[in-house]
Amino acid sequence: MKRFHLASLAVLILGFAGCSLPAAPGNRHAILIGITNYKEVRSLVYPVNDLADMKALLAKSGWTVDLVLSDAKATKAGIRNGISGMAGNLDADSSVVVYYSGHGDSEDGTGYIIPYDTRISGSDPVVSTMISTTELKSWISALPARNKLLILDSCYSGTFVDQVTTIDSAPPNYGPKDGGVDAGMLATALTNGARLLSMALSDAGDPAILTISAAGSEELSYDDNDNKNGAFSYYLIQAGSDAAADADGNGLVTALEAYAYAKTMLIARWNSLNYNQLSGSYDLVTGLPLYQDFLPRVSGGSGDFVLYDKRF
Amino acid sequence: MSVHRRLSVFGFVALAMASQLAWSLEMAVAVSGKGGATIEGNRPLLARGEGSVDTSFSLETGHWIFPEFSLSLFAATPSSLDPSLYLYRGYQGLSLSVLTGPRFFPSPALSIDTLFGIGLATTVDSGTTLVGLTPLLRAEARLSAAIYREFWLRIGLPLEALRQGATLSGYAGLSVALVYRLGVPKGVAK
């Protein structure tokens, strides 16, 4: 009898731990920003498609898309007001996604996204008219939500990614000569051992915002003429429908699962030499491919949360 | 008697005693499965699992094991979900630990060990290129039984705790090992 009770208890514990999924929470909100046509900056082609596809996917996954800001609506003030305006819909248990597809820049190691009304002086964007890492993160951090996810499909977007207790073993400008994404992981951990151990023993918590970037801090990201989306966004969106992205097969695709799928697909397709030769062209002076390798990045910390919920 | 002379005498006596003691040298390969939980800051405590393959080398003298070096390949699953669909990410890694502890009731057929120790683990978050280095605490109670000549079967109850900044993880589980033990006395002296 006692044995039966113990067995029942074990089954119950295992059931709770492994099989039961929480009910889908209703308080999940998204703001989508995409800029195809700029006021002064060179226009892009596919952010408009990224917005439409991401909006449809998030809506299908149980997110309420509060606001879509495109082109002339996506000014610096418009983006700031749009993000802060979400606060009224949120509470301490909410989840928030901020998605951006458009140009990005890096000046002296500081990252920026480029809103519609960024001004150009000479050939460079005026820094004060762009949105810096600090500005964007402070706007999002002010939102009263439990889970915050920032997705950036823009050049140099790795500048927005925090590392905390981990270090990215992939170089800021990843290329075919770097030996694959798995190369150098152990060496990175050991050569940065003192710093990593000191961080592990500190009280450093997770970043307030889980950030996924299309590219490293010194990398460009691209519009993809074959897939008619941002090269990164295409695969991030595909993660919502391709069963391969759901690594544990539980019908829920977390932000990290979607990131990992997009990274794998970009490596297999975009970063493959043949694909570059077919899709890219080469600079007539330097001979370098105009379409270069890049690698999506994700912030450090221990957390993750469900991005695509297929139960809807 | 000077301090140096006293120390020399003590060392000689200790050496003489040690030479009379039983000893053993062990090599083991183990697999283990653990259940555990992780917590970070204000986040909830969430359940998760961990599996590992471990190889260890240990020396036992005078019913005390020291040192045991253990090299483990491990993988932790992502955690369960909280009501907001938040979870802790999975990770894999390699750890090196050094353990020590007493051996109880040693006999040619059976022994019980309790070990505790510290280690370092290199980790990579699943699906990412993010690497970390984290300290860990380990403890294990083990029952070993001789099965064939120098081969022993060992069942263990491992405990493990890791810290990565404000994130703390703890695991408990079951391990099974095949042990090759050298130096066990062949019989009891009359």
Side-chain angles (χ1 to χ4, degrees):
Chain A
M1 193 64 181
K2 196 172 184 179
R3 201 176 292 170
F4 173 77
H5 285 315
L6 284 174
S8 303
L9 185 64
V11 168
L12 268 176
I13 290 170
L14 287 173
F16 279 123
C19 302
S20 62
L21 295 174
N27 207 354
R28 290 157 69 80
H29 295 265
I31 177 169
L32 311 179
I33 305 155
I35 307 165
T36 306
N37 301 298
Y38 280 85
K39 196 173 179 181
E40 296 184 24
V41 180
R42 173 176 59 85
S43 291
L44 292 166
V45 184
Y46 301 117
V48 62
N49 292 358
D50 295 342
L51 279 192
D53 294 345
M54 186 57 87
K55 182 184 177 185
L57 178 58
L58 290 179
K60 201 172 75 175
S61 300
W63 292 86
T64 302
V65 179
D66 288 356
L67 196 58
V68 177
L69 293 175
S70 61
D71 293 356
K73 290 180 183 171
T75 60
K76 183 170 182 176
I79 292 169
R80 184 182 62 233
N81 294 337
I83 292 172
S84 60
M86 296 176 80
N89 300 330
L90 306 174
D91 60 39
D93 290 325
S94 300
S95 297
V96 168
V97 168
V98 177
Y99 171 84
Y100 171 79
S101 175
H103 279 301
D105 194 15
S106 174
E107 299 284 341
D108 301 323
T110 300
Y112 298 88
I113 59 169
I114 300 184
Y116 170 80
D117 55 344
T118 292
R119 293 201 309 273
I120 298 292
S121 174
S123 59
D124 294 324
V126 177
V127 166
S128 63
T129 63
M130 299 190 288
I131 298 173
S132 71
T133 314
T134 310
E135 287 174 310
L136 184 59
K137 291 200 164 184
S138 69
W139 302 341
I140 299 171
S141 293
L143 295 174
R146 177 178 292 274
N147 306 314
K148 298 165 187 170
L149 173 63
L150 171 62
I151 302 171
L152 298 168
D153 188 350
S154 55
C155 296
Y156 311 111
S157 43
T159 47
F160 287 74
V161 174
D162 301 305
Q163 298 300 324
V164 199
T165 54
T166 49
I167 288 178
D168 196 342
S169 62
N173 191 358
Y174 174 79
K177 291 179 181 172
D178 290 316
V181 289
D182 295 331
M185 281 188 178
L186 186 60
T188 301
L190 296 178
T191 53
N192 294 281
R195 180 181 153 200
L196 285 169
L197 195 56
S198 147
M199 290 303 294
L201 291 168
S202 75
D203 291 326
D206 278 5
I209 304 164
L210 175 58
T211 304
I212 293 176
S213 70
S217 59
E218 297 175 13
E219 292 169 348
L220 306 179
S221 69
Y222 299 90
D223 264 343
D224 186 342
N225 289 325
D226 290 349
N227 292 324
K228 313 295 184 203
N229 279 107
F232 165 72
S233 286
Y234 175 77
Y235 293 113
L236 192 75
I237 292 162
Q238 285 292 303
S241 54
D242 189 338
D246 184 8
D248 54 8
N250 65 353
L252 306 171
V253 178
T254 70
L256 247 73
E257 282 178 326
Y259 156 84
Y261 173 84
K263 177 167 72 78
T264 302
M265 296 303 287
L266 272 169
I267 291 167
R269 297 288 312 282
W270 184 273
N271 288 357
S272 71
L273 185 61
N274 288 339
Y275 187 74
N276 281 338
Q277 285 176 338
L278 286 172
S279 298
S281 53
Y282 291 82
D283 188 294
L284 291 174
V285 178
T286 65
L288 293 170
L290 294 175
Y291 292 82
Q292 295 186 39
D293 286 7
F294 67 106
L295 206 60
R297 311 300 162 112
V298 65
S299 49
S302 57
D304 187 10
F305 66 94
V306 172
L307 181 59
Y308 306 135
D309 188 339
K310 297 181 178 178
R311 294 176 295 177
F312 285 91
Chain B
M1 191 181 284
S2 72
V3 173
H4 285 98
R5 184 174 286 263
R6 278 184 205 169
L7 283 175
S8 301
V9 171
F10 176 77
F12 179 80
V13 171
L15 200 63
M17 284 177 69
S19 67
Q20 300 300 313
L21 299 175
W23 62 273
S24 67
L25 186 65
E26 288 187 5
M27 288 164 281
V29 178
V31 290
S32 69
K34 306 183 192 89
T38 295
I39 190 165
E40 190 272 328
N42 295 324
R43 297 284 184 179
L45 185 73
L46 296 172
R48 69 194 320 171
E50 188 196 79
S52 65
V53 177
D54 318 284
T55 56
S56 63
F57 298 89
S58 58
L59 178 67
E60 177 255 324
T61 54
H63 311 328
W64 192 274
I65 296 166
F66 180 80
E68 173 167 309
F69 293 107
S70 175
L71 187 67
S72 303
L73 267 173
F74 61 89
T77 65
S79 75
S80 57
L81 295 157
D82 81 354
S84 71
L85 301 187
Y86 173 89
L87 70 161
Y88 297 110
R89 55 183 78 172
Y91 56 86
Q92 300 90 43
L94 183 70
S95 72
L96 180 65
S97 311
V98 58
L99 298 107
T100 187
R103 168 162 291 167
F104 301 104
F105 318 119
S107 79
L110 205 69
S111 64
I112 295 174
D113 308 329
T114 56
L115 290 155
F116 54 91
I118 56 171
L120 272 180
T122 60
T123 60
V124 55
D125 292 352
S126 300
T128 76
T129 49
L130 298 172
V131 296
L133 192 67
T134 180
L136 56 90
L137 295 174
R138 290 185 60 188
E140 187 167 357
R142 298 167 175 169
L143 173 67
S144 303
I147 51 174
Y148 177 71
R149 296 193 173 185
E150 282 81 18
F151 288 96
W152 294 59
L153 183 67
R154 190 171 78 196
I155 308 292
L157 299 171
L159 298 170
E160 189 177 284
L162 294 87
R163 172 177 178 174
Q164 200 155 29
T167 305
L168 301 173
S169 298
Y171 299 95
L174 186 71
S175 72
V176 179
L178 182 63
V179 181
Y180 183 73
R181 184 182 290 183
L182 279 174
V184 177
K186 299 294 183 190
V188 179
K190 291 182 180 176

